[in-house]
Amino acid sequence: MTTVSRSVGPLLEIQGLKTHFFTQDGTVRAVDGVSFQIGHAKTLGVVGESGCGKSITSLSVMRLIERPGKIVEGSIKLNGEDLLDKSDEEMRDIRGDQVSMIFQEPMTSLNPVFTCGEQISEAVQQHTAASRREGMDRAVEMLSLVGIPDAKRRAREYPHQLSGGMRQRVMIAMALSTDPDLLIADEPTTALDVTIQAQILELMRDLREKNRMAIMLITHDLGVVAEMVDEVVVMYAGKVVERGDVRTIFGNPHHPYTQGLLHSIPRLDERVDRLEVIKGTVPSPYNLPTGCLFKRRCPFRMPICDVAPPMRQIGEEHTSRCWLTPAGEAPEVGADPTPEEAEAAGEQLTVEPR
Amino acid sequence: MADRTYDDVTQLPVDDTEDIDRTEVRSYWQLARRRFVRHRLAVIGAITLAVLIIAAAVVPLVVENATGVDINKSFAAAEIVDEEGNLVLALLGYSRTGINMFTQLMAATATSLMIGFAAVLIIVFIGVVIGAVAGYAGGWVDNLLMRVVDIALSMPGLFIIIAFVAFWGASIWTIILAIGITGWTTAARLVRAEFLSLREADYVQAARALGASPRRIILRHMLPPALAPIIVAASLGVADSVVLEAALSFLGFGIGAEQASLGTLLNVAFEYLNREPYLVLFPSIVLILIVLAANFLGDGMRDALDPRQRVEQQ
């Protein structure tokens, strides 16, 4: 943690990240040209359906992609240093120290044969010169910080003796025990019931202020996003389709997919017989449509959608991967992409042989 | 009671710390011991095995000439102290040739158990190393090692051992080594299977995300949870090895009379089956006891060491 690099540029800057999986049935472009950044102490929400590449993006940041997956292109800069250039050993020092991660399943993300305290202590000892004893002290301190009553006692207990919410608190305690700059939270509340969810989110918000830590929050729960984040990245089929600050995304969504997502939230203040859904399903990763990936499900489909749209500026700090005009209207009939846009769409203009 | 309202209840003075569960925290090993003790057959197995081990270790030491022949004692009755006042512990009397059958049996048990345990050490060591590497690395490493296992499995173990013994001579150590290097395949497969599933376990992923090295992940996060199947395999392995050695000695390829094992005793006894059928009886009983006890012990330990098992409330 160098204070020098803190002031310069964003904390995390992902540029054109491509993570592909080379399976026997063909190449799956799980993450295909994703770019975004997270500022210091900011919270970014990454939203999208299952399989859109959210989790793979976060695992790519941690460099935890395993065979047959591979990061094929792009850069992931943390405090200005490209993580993709780091050796495995350097990466191990960064993981858990500068970047921590908490997972979706608190029930299974703790090792059943060690006490909670031992596991937190292990993370501390890994990254600092702390002794076993100091590690345990830190563990107890962290456990009370995340609101676990009687922390001393809980530190000596095994994961199976704790409830789901408690375990997620332990996970958070473990992730934060080394004071990371960035916390990646992969659906941290999905497996928890609603009251516990609220508590955990509250806790994360609290700790973000206390530790001046940035959070990358991966979720498909838009309610959580509205409550927690500064900026939103919407992903679809491995690509970012819309990006903007949280007010813009919720108040004035541009991409039809984002609109669909927002529409499909059930509302308490209206009587509805059927929930609105986005028709169709996510395209098979082995058989992506040419052009816009969302066109088969899109209510605004136009002829131009057969050409892959680039990320286009919609407003200040608001971009969207859609041919609709910023006002949300169809572009003039027969309008071709401008030369710049055609260029920005780049290789996607050529149809790849399958 | 009926006219009490919800407000009354919420206004009761509440001691904040009252909710805290104050039951005593037990460590993993305390819990494991409790679970083990509840498993009655396992406890019986453990005691049987312990008694056999102690008897086998002590009896040949305290009795002079434990396996000697004294023709004057042919068919003599059971005695603990002979007429000269020496401790003989001839609990089973003497055979036709005047051998103290109990002390001979215990000496043979010692040999058999030693071979069993030593061979299992080798089996577990090779099995865990190969299984762990294959399961953790996956991919072509796994493929290669598992094909080696297949090859090792496709060869008839007993014949390999016989060839081994024929080549290097039938000492205790060659037999241990021979059993060890032919018996590791099952252990390797078990450990590999366990590691393959543990590799995908969320907490292993979480450990990786915290920057743990492969060595640390294997030793701290994968080996302890895999311990239960390893221990079961080991206790079954003891039984198997003892039986295998007995078979070997029974066939005459094992250890000779000078350091007789249970198998050797059976081999000799078989010759006199018509005249002295009881000679077969006692080594067989001890053999069965060892096998049963080791199996029950393994069973109990598997249940006890599984951290997901709870101690049932009583």
Side-chain angles (χ1 to χ4, degrees):
Chain A
M1 266 197 288
T2 43
T3 37
V4 187
S5 57
R6 271 208 160 199
S7 49
V8 201
L11 173 68
L12 180 77
E13 188 177 11
I14 300 180
Q15 221 22 281
L17 177 70
K18 292 190 178 181
T19 305
H20 294 177
F21 285 77
F22 301 94
T23 68
Q24 289 187 334
D25 302 323
T27 303
V28 175
R29 298 160 177 240
V31 174
D32 202 22
V34 163
S35 307
F36 58 79
Q37 32 186 271
I38 306 175
H40 291 278
K42 290 282 184 210
T43 304
L44 174 87
V46 181
V47 203
E49 277 165 277
S50 308
C52 71
K54 301 177 302 229
S55 295
I56 299 300
T57 306
S58 64
L59 289 176
S60 300
V61 174
M62 300 296 275
R63 289 241 331 251
L64 285 175
I65 299 292
E66 286 190 64
R67 273 180 327 232
K70 197 169 183 286
I71 300 175
V72 289
E73 232 182 276
S75 71
I76 301 169
K77 286 192 174 133
L78 184 74
N79 280 323
E81 287 179 60
D82 197 337
L83 296 182
L84 300 184
D85 295 339
K86 302 281 185 197
S87 69
D88 287 352
E89 285 76 30
E90 286 172 316
M91 213 42 230
R92 278 207 285 278
D93 288 338
I94 290 168
R95 278 181 216 137
D97 189 27
Q98 294 176 41
V99 190
S100 278
M101 189 159 178
I102 49 181
F103 294 89
Q104 186 174 353
E105 286 294 338
M107 305 309 273
T108 51
S109 290
L110 292 167
N111 189 332
V113 302
F114 293 110
T115 63
C116 301
E118 280 169 343
Q119 295 187 53
I120 300 174
S121 165
E122 194 187 325
V124 175
Q125 287 173 60
Q126 180 97 38
H127 294 291
T128 59
S131 66
R132 234 185 107 75
R133 224 198 150 76
E134 289 162 342
M136 277 310 266
D137 288 345
R138 176 77 176 155
V140 173
E141 183 192 330
M142 289 311 296
L143 286 177
S144 40
L145 183 72
V146 297
I148 289 182
D150 208 1
K152 260 212 166 90
R153 207 185 99 90
R154 292 295 179 194
R156 287 189 294 128
E157 290 195 338
Y158 289 86
H160 75 264
Q161 292 166 299
L162 305 181
S163 67
M166 286 272 211
R167 285 188 221 184
Q168 192 59 293
R169 281 169 196 263
V170 173
M171 286 300 296
I172 293 176
M174 199 187 300
L176 298 190
S177 59
T178 52
D179 259 327
D181 296 339
L182 173 66
L183 175 70
I184 300 179
D186 191 350
E187 313 214 13
T189 56
T190 310
L192 304 174
D193 69 61
V194 189
T195 47
I196 307 297
Q197 266 186 25
Q199 288 175 17
I200 295 287
L201 291 177
E202 180 64 42
L203 171 70
M204 284 175 60
R205 235 187 334 235
D206 220 45
L207 294 171
R208 175 181 63 188
E209 306 306 323
K210 268 189 207 153
N211 296 7
R212 268 194 55 80
M213 150 186 89
I215 299 178
M216 175 171 159
L217 182 70
I218 295 162
T219 181
H220 51 238
D221 187 337
L222 290 166
V224 171
V225 170
E227 232 174 293
M228 288 283 293
V229 310
D230 303 309
E231 214 191 326
V232 181
V233 162
V234 183
M235 286 187 69
Y236 185 78
K239 283 185 162 47
V240 175
V241 293
E242 187 162 7
R243 201 174 112 196
D245 77 72
V246 64
R247 282 171 190 284
T248 319
I249 296 289
F250 277 83
N252 188 19
H254 180 265
H255 199 284
Y257 178 63
T258 316
Q259 292 175 9
L261 278 184
L262 289 168
H263 270 135
S264 48
I265 305 174
R267 298 184 58 134
L268 285 177
D269 53 352
E270 277 172 29
R271 206 186 143 69
V272 194
D273 290 331
R274 252 167 193 280
L275 289 178
E276 265 194 65
V277 293
I278 304 176
K279 292 203 170 59
T281 53
V282 186
S284 153
Y286 296 111
N287 184 20
L288 292 175
T290 54
C292 176
L293 298 174
F294 188 61
K295 68 178 180 188
R296 288 182 197 155
R297 306 171 73 184
C298 184
F300 303 101
R301 182 171 177 178
M302 303 169 286
I304 196 177
C305 296
D306 289 333
V307 178
M311 277 306 257
R312 302 164 86 212
Q313 203 72 32
I314 302 303
E316 207 186 325
E317 301 282 305
H318 184 194
T319 49
S320 167
R321 195 181 288 281
C322 182
W323 289 118
L324 291 172
T325 64
E329 284 154 12
E332 283 169 44
V333 182
D336 283 327
T338 62
E340 305 91 69
E341 283 168 350
E343 198 193 336
E347 83 249 53
Q348 292 143 346
L349 281 175
T350 51
V351 179
E352 285 175 52
R354 255 165 249 288
Chain B
M1 208 51 186
D3 44 56
R4 236 210 207 168
T5 65
Y6 178 73
D7 284 339
D8 294 333
V9 180
T10 53
Q11 274 158 21
L12 290 175
V14 175
D15 181 2
D16 212 26
T17 57
E18 218 170 57
D19 292 343
I20 296 174
D21 172 12
R22 296 277 179 201
T23 48
E24 182 201 347
V25 178
R26 293 190 200 88
S27 80
Y28 173 58
W29 294 109
Q30 281 173 314
L31 288 168
R33 200 167 56 223
R34 274 172 79 97
R35 285 190 292 254
F36 185 78
V37 170
R38 297 259 162 102
H39 205 300
R40 204 164 296 144
L41 276 177
V43 175
I44 294 173
I47 293 172
T48 310
L49 215 50
V51 167
L52 276 175
I53 290 171
I54 292 170
V58 172
V59 169
L61 287 182
V62 296
V63 177
E64 237 177 291
N65 198 15
T67 54
V69 178
D70 182 356
I71 199 65
N72 299 325
K73 295 252 181 182
S74 181
F75 290 126
E79 57 185 7
I80 292 177
V81 185
D82 68 7
E83 51 273 22
E84 283 148 46
N86 298 320
L87 186 68
V88 289
L89 287 176
L91 303 178
L92 301 174
Y94 294 85
S95 69
R96 192 178 57 88
T97 47
I99 291 174
N100 179 338
M101 287 196 288
F102 181 70
T103 53
Q104 187 199 35
L105 186 64
M106 285 304 113
T109 306
T111 309
S112 283
L113 282 175
M114 198 180 96
I115 291 173
F117 280 103
V120 156
L121 274 185
I122 298 178
I123 287 174
V124 167
F125 180 76
I126 302 179
V128 166
V129 169
I130 294 201
V133 169
Y136 183 82
W140 66 268
V141 179
D142 178 32
N143 238 320
L144 181 78
L145 288 174
M146 284 307 108
R147 295 300 78 76
V148 173
V149 168
D150 288 345
I151 292 168
L153 264 175
S154 68
M155 297 190 284
L158 197 58
F159 292 105
I160 302 278
I161 297 173
I162 289 173
F164 202 88
V165 170
F167 206 75
W168 277 286
S171 81
I172 275 203
W173 300 109
T174 46
I175 287 180
I176 289 172
L177 211 61
I179 295 177
I181 61 170
T182 50
W184 56 272
T185 46
T186 322
R189 282 186 160 179
L190 259 174
V191 174
R192 167 191 176 258
E194 200 68 15
F195 266 51
L196 274 181
S197 69
L198 283 170
R199 202 160 67 110
E200 307 298 326
D202 288 334
Y203 61 83
V204 170
Q205 184 82 319
R208 241 179 238 135
L210 281 166
S213 61
R215 204 181 82 102
R216 201 183 183 100
I217 288 173
I218 290 178
L219 292 182
R220 296 262 308 163
H221 293 286
M222 293 171 86
L223 211 47
L227 214 56
I230 294 174
I231 285 174
V232 177
S235 58
L236 295 180
V238 170
D240 280 351
S241 305
V242 168
V243 170
L244 193 57
E245 184 281 324
L248 213 55
S249 299
F250 180 73
L251 291 175
F253 293 99
I255 304 156
E258 69 284 353
Q259 206 174 4
S261 69
L262 292 172
T264 322
L265 293 193
L266 285 173
N267 181 20
V268 175
F270 205 62
E271 287 175 36
Y272 303 104
L273 195 57
N274 290 328
R275 278 180 291 171
E276 296 179 89
Y278 51 86
L279 282 179
V280 176
L281 193 63
F282 299 118
S284 307
I285 289 175
V286 174
L287 212 51
I288 290 168
L289 277 181
I290 292 175
V291 172
L292 281 179
N295 277 303
F296 287 142
L297 181 66
D299 221 28
M301 288 212 274
R302 178 182 49 207
D303 292 348
L305 293 176
D306 185 350
R308 284 154 293 216
Q309 291 243 353
R310 284 152 199 266
V311 178
E312 283 103 50
Q313 303 296 323
Q314 282 191 342

